[in-house]
Amino acid sequence: QVQLAESGGGSVQFGGSLKLSCAASGFTVSSACMGWFRQRPGKEREGVAGLDFDGATSYRDSVRNRFTISRDDNQNTLFLQMSSLKPADTGMYYCAADPSRSALCVLGCSSPGCPNEAEDFNYWGQGTQVTVSS
């Protein structure tokens, strides 16, 4: 049974840092397409960062160079290191997995007409709240 459990959210001030974790079970993170999504207040769920089985990463333009997605194969855990946080980063953050790698593992499209990246992911965690105050 596939399970994803996020942790590490919290409240920080502008410019602060947080590290989110996603403990996975029922599949191997290093063999899957993994992603972090967020849902900001009043917005649609959006892809933030992706990590493919071969280590290839992808990021939303607004978080590039501030967020880093990584994994620990021994712990079967996905991470999202977030730095230089802004109030615009406030939202619920979700870990997602596509063990079958059914689609191209690239996240973070923010242009008009982008596909719904969430549709490619079969499994989701419960989410962890991130709040950034100015």
Side-chain angles (χ1 to χ4, degrees):
Q1 181 180 1
V2 172
Q3 290 187 321
L4 299 170
E6 302 101 332
S7 61
S11 296
V12 296
Q13 291 191 325
F14 179 89
S17 299
L18 283 173
K19 186 173 184 177
L20 307 183
S21 299
C22 173
S25 59
F27 73 103
T28 302
V29 166
S30 61
S31 299
C33 171
M34 301 296 297
W36 285 100
F37 288 77
R38 69 185 179 189
Q39 188 155 15
R40 297 183 289 165
K43 304 286 188 180
E44 298 286 322
R45 189 172 297 194
E46 61 190 20
V48 174
L51 176 59
D52 207 350
F53 77 105
D54 60 358
T57 58
S58 52
Y59 296 94
R60 192 172 195 80
D61 283 347
S62 61
V63 308
R64 194 182 306 275
N65 298 321
R66 298 189 298 121
F67 291 10
T68 302
I69 188 171
S70 64
R71 68 186 185 222
D72 184 315
D73 294 348
N74 290 328
Q75 297 181 27
N76 207 37
T77 299
L78 183 73
F79 301 101
L80 185 68
Q81 176 68 53
M82 305 185 294
S83 303
S84 302
L85 283 162
K86 307 173 182 180
D89 295 316
T90 293
M92 187 70 78
Y93 283 70
Y94 299 90
C95 171
D98 176 19
S100 63
R101 299 183 61 251
S102 58
L104 186 65
C105 190
V106 177
L107 293 185
C109 179
S110 56
S111 304
C114 285
N116 184 347
E117 296 171 340
E119 292 182 345
D120 296 329
F121 290 81
N122 317 88
Y123 302 99
W124 294 83
Q126 80 286 354
T128 186
Q129 178 69 34
V130 172
T131 302
V132 185
S133 57
S134 57

